Amino acid sequence: MRLDQTSDQWWKTAVIYCLDVETFLDTDGDGIGDLNGVTQQIEHIAQLGATCLWLMPFQPSPNRDDGYDIADCYGVDSRLGTLGDVVELIRAANDRGLRVIVDLVVNHTSDEHPWFQEARRDRESPRRNWYVWRDEPSDEPEGLSFPGTETSNWQYDEEAGQYYLHRFYHFQPDLNVLHEEVRDEIARIMGFWLALGVAGFRMDAVPALLETAGIPVGEGHDLRAWLRDLRNFVGRRRGDAMLLGEVNVDPQQLAQYFGDHGDMLHMEFAFLLNQHLWLALARGEAEPLEMLIRTLPALAPDNCWATFLRNHDELTLDKLTLGQREEVFAAFGPDPDMQLYGHGLRRRTASMIGGDGARLRLAWSLLFALPGTPIVFYGDEIGMGENLDIPDRYAVRSPMQWSAEPHGGFTTGAEPVRPLPEGAFAPAEVNVDDQRRDPASLLSFIRRLIAARRRRPELGWGQVTLIETDAPSLLAHRTDWEGSTVVTVHNLGDADVRATLELGEEVVAVDDVLEEHAVEMGDGGRVEVELEAYGYLWLHLRRDGDRRLS
Ligand code: GLC
């Protein structure tokens, strides 16, 4: 056993499963999912093959932004359970080899948080400076997170007699991270959850967190140094702790959140890769993805991307050009009701792609083959659809569909926390129970993909190189790590294609990692591949003398 970074940086070969406790499984019949429900169904997540569970916010909250408006950073929403239940869940997960990470939402609090209540009441209060106040609204920062829903980043507060900064909704006042006490409190919050057993944090809204009203990252107060301090802090408290940052910025700004030596965030969500993946799917061409893979900054050994098909928010297409965004809208969400904030889609993967078929399986294969650690959003593993009757981003956060029973088996109560979809994506059509028994189901397919991904650590650790072919619909790339290579080929188009892959003379044989095809090796390290519409192929290359161990 080698004792280098491969034994510690578990997140490089992880498969992350993201869920909202409120919508996963209700065990007490009140219609609201609970922590005990997640514990009860932990085997579902373990059997899928995930190795890390990301819990969306479960703290006390007025719930005006699905818990991203926290009113007590050290507590648990009593509808969902208790701190004791959190510890039991973490233990049950750890027993199955699953680590647990939680959201760290500290760019802002709820306006109902006692800190804000104290701050607004009295200019002399020690909490006043915990938030960002102005007598007049400022022009800074530019841009709105929820255009159409909010009109400014500043909100006048009658009680305070001043404006406060809010990068998100007006009921989410931004914390003032230039204040040392606030920074200490944030470390204390992280220390608290680490002590309860979490293995890291999904850090909400990192660019907004590091930017304080008109003082962008890197200018004046360099809050990036603080991000490095936080990384060191979590590392001291728990050696293998991981920070995964929500960083949706332009390509040239991505690197600064990893740090010059990879010593800030361990991981960033690959938003750009995601947006270009959907563009490539819409066009049936590999070029948008190839271009993006060439553009991404090279990462230090201590960093990696987190990839996803869909997350819990809108499918944001904000970094595409207007024309490109229209192409994705036309292909996957033409109805204005499917669109949000002018830049995103409030639909799930399976419904956008038209249900379980070759194209959906191609998308999943692509996700697990691309550089980065894959994240599965709950319900997508069975191909759940959204419920557009639920407003805003909540459309993709309807209850998990466990069975064909009433309310999809999510609750025995009369009224689920959100309504489940009807029609082709209703629980009778799409549910865990049916798919678990069916080896041909999407769930079984994704289990096999995850198992294959876990068998091939090259995909997590390796260096990615694009392979040129003559077919525009083919994305072919190789991932090399420690003398071992995986080559994956994906046909994004709706027609069969053939291509020749030049793999190098030293390659004597290729093995199909997904065990679906027999692939013959040609002369001189060449392989002829023939992929049907939306076909995919993962090959492990064998060189002379290589042992066949997996
Ligand atoms: C992040 C979350 C989103 C939330 C926002 C404000 O973008 O993903 O759901 O609304 O932060 O906390």
Side-chain angles (χ1 to χ4, degrees):
M1 180 66 186
R2 290 171 31 208
L3 295 182
D4 68 356
Q5 56 191 9
T6 52
S7 51
D8 298 326
Q9 293 180 334
W10 56 270
W11 34 274
K12 286 226 172 185
T13 47
V15 176
I16 300 177
Y17 188 85
C18 167
L19 67 84
D20 191 357
V21 174
E22 196 180 33
T23 53
F24 202 59
L25 181 71
D26 170 25
T27 57
D28 57 12
D30 65 356
I32 301 167
D34 39 53
L35 288 155
N36 287 335
V38 183
T39 306
Q40 192 172 309
Q41 286 299 56
I42 200 75
E43 234 11 285
H44 170 74
I45 304 166
Q47 286 180 19
L48 183 65
T51 59
C52 176
L53 172 58
W54 156 20
L55 298 175
M56 287 166 61
F58 50 77
Q59 287 83 355
S61 162
N63 253 309
R64 297 176 72 188
D65 182 14
D66 207 12
Y68 282 91
D69 47 336
I70 293 180
D72 172 7
C73 303
Y74 297 95
V76 174
D77 181 339
S78 57
R79 300 172 315 141
L80 310 180
T82 63
L83 275 178
D85 297 336
V86 174
V87 172
E88 288 308 307
L89 165 54
I90 293 173
R91 178 175 159 76
N94 289 171
D95 272 353
R96 276 115 180 138
L98 276 159
R99 288 177 170 88
V100 177
I101 63 171
V102 295
D103 254 284
L104 180 75
V105 188
V106 287
N107 172 69
H108 47 263
T109 65
S110 158
D111 59 355
E112 292 186 23
H113 197 295
W115 300 338
F116 187 72
Q117 292 299 328
E118 277 178 47
R120 70 163 21 148
R121 216 171 289 139
D122 178 3
R123 276 186 196 236
E124 302 310 316
S125 149
R127 299 276 189 226
R128 185 73 166 198
N129 280 336
W130 280 40
Y131 295 87
V132 185
W133 302 96
R134 294 280 187 278
D135 289 328
E136 294 296 329
S138 157
D139 292 342
E140 301 277 3
E142 277 178 20
L144 295 169
S145 301
F146 304 122
T149 308
E150 294 289 339
T151 51
S152 163
N153 287 308
W154 295 89
Q155 175 78 15
Y156 186 70
D157 189 61
E158 290 285 349
E159 201 176 343
Q162 281 188 304
Y163 289 84
Y164 61 83
L165 173 71
H166 63 90
R167 292 302 310 265
F168 293 91
Y169 293 109
H170 64 276
F171 50 80
Q172 291 167 323
D174 272 32
L175 282 164
N176 175 15
V177 291
L178 293 180
H179 194 348
E180 211 177 320
E181 282 175 21
V182 171
R183 298 209 294 265
D184 280 351
E185 190 68 34
I186 290 173
R188 196 170 292 124
I189 294 165
M190 296 171 99
F192 176 79
W193 292 107
L194 286 169
L196 290 191
V198 310
F201 299 93
R202 180 265 184 190
M203 286 183 74
D204 193 52
V206 175
L209 175 67
L210 296 197
E211 180 217 55
T212 302
I215 310 173
V217 175
E219 283 174 32
H221 307 262
D222 190 356
L223 284 171
R224 295 190 319 138
W226 170 54
L227 187 54
R228 189 178 295 114
D229 290 348
L230 279 184
R231 156 95 169 244
N232 287 335
F233 172 79
V234 295
R236 287 196 302 276
R237 291 290 169 95
R238 175 170 171 152
D240 66 348
M242 180 272 283
L243 299 180
L244 161 58
E246 186 198 18
V247 184
N248 182 17
V249 295
D250 293 333
Q252 58 285 7
Q253 292 169 6
L254 285 167
Q256 63 178 326
Y257 299 93
F258 282 125
D260 298 335
H261 308 287
D263 52 358
M264 294 180 186
L265 293 174
H266 299 91
M267 302 175 74
E268 291 180 20
F269 287 92
F271 279 101
L272 283 166
L273 192 72
N274 176 265
Q275 301 190 23
H276 287 82
L277 187 150
W278 283 101
L279 181 62
L281 286 171
R283 287 188 182 163
E285 285 175 11
E287 192 274 337
L289 267 175
E290 291 171 343
M291 185 281 294
L292 207 271
I293 289 171
R294 285 194 199 98
T295 320
L296 285 177
L299 299 188
D302 285 358
N303 296 136
C304 83
W305 302 108
T307 53
F308 52 100
L309 291 173
R310 280 296 280 113
N311 67 7
H312 62 292
D313 285 326
E314 79 276 19
L315 165 59
T316 179
L317 304 165
D318 64 338
K319 299 290 181 288
L320 299 182
T321 65
L322 227 61
Q324 292 171 335
R325 194 178 306 156
E326 286 306 325
E327 285 180 66
V328 181
F329 280 177
F332 299 122
D335 187 324
D337 189 37
M338 299 167 171
Q339 301 164 12
L340 202 58
Y341 313 132
H343 67 220
L345 289 169
R346 50 190 213 109
R347 305 193 71 193
R348 275 186 180 258
T349 300
S351 41
M352 284 193 283
I353 290 184
D356 185 16
R359 200 182 190 192
L360 183 60
R361 294 184 181 213
L362 165 89
W364 280 106
S365 169
L366 199 50
L367 174 71
F368 288 105
L370 284 170
T373 295
I375 302 182
V376 179
F377 182 52
Y378 81 93
D380 277 358
E381 74 275 29
I382 53 169
M384 266 169 55
E386 67 284 345
N387 183 356
L388 291 174
D389 291 342
I390 313 174
D392 207 83
R393 292 168 291 160
Y394 297 92
V396 300
R397 303 182 200 168
S398 56
M400 182 69 178
Q401 298 175 187
W402 294 106
S403 69
E405 290 178 353
H407 310 309
F410 161 74
T411 180
T412 53
E415 211 38 59
V417 62
R418 289 188 198 120
L420 288 92
E422 292 171 2
F425 293 92
E429 309 298 327
V430 176
N431 68 66
V432 174
D433 190 37
D434 289 346
Q435 293 196 24
R436 210 164 31 86
R437 301 161 205 273
D438 178 3
S441 68
L442 182 67
L443 177 63
S444 302
F445 171 70
I446 293 179
R447 278 185 187 162
R448 289 196 295 277
L449 272 180
I450 293 180
R453 163 105 194 175
R454 290 180 58 182
R455 278 199 308 276
R456 297 269 47 116
E458 298 89 341
L459 291 169
W461 286 99
Q463 200 63 38
V464 169
T465 317
L466 293 170
I467 302 174
E468 298 289 333
T469 73
D470 294 334
S473 68
L474 279 192
L475 179 78
H477 68 278
R478 57 186 290 153
T479 311
D480 291 277
W481 181 59
E482 307 226 311
S484 185
T485 307
V486 174
V487 168
T488 61
V489 194
H490 291 88
N491 178 12
L492 286 87
D494 58 4
D496 298 2
V497 291
R498 299 173 68 96
T500 307
L501 305 176
E502 307 271 353
L503 301 178
E505 299 220 338
E506 70 286 4
V507 179
V508 294
V510 287
D511 300 314
D512 177 14
V513 179
L514 297 173
E515 295 160 4
E516 291 179 355
H517 310 274
V519 186
E520 291 297 320
M521 189 77 215
D523 291 338
R526 264 182 224 103
V527 171
E528 301 283 335
V529 293
E530 190 171 351
L531 291 184
E532 46 200 39
Y534 306 123
Y536 50 83
L537 187 62
W538 296 19
L539 299 175
H540 180 230
L541 310 192
R542 236 179 316 138
R543 297 166 175 94
D544 227 359
D546 281 354
R547 292 168 73 190
R548 283 197 76 166
L549 284 179
S550 54

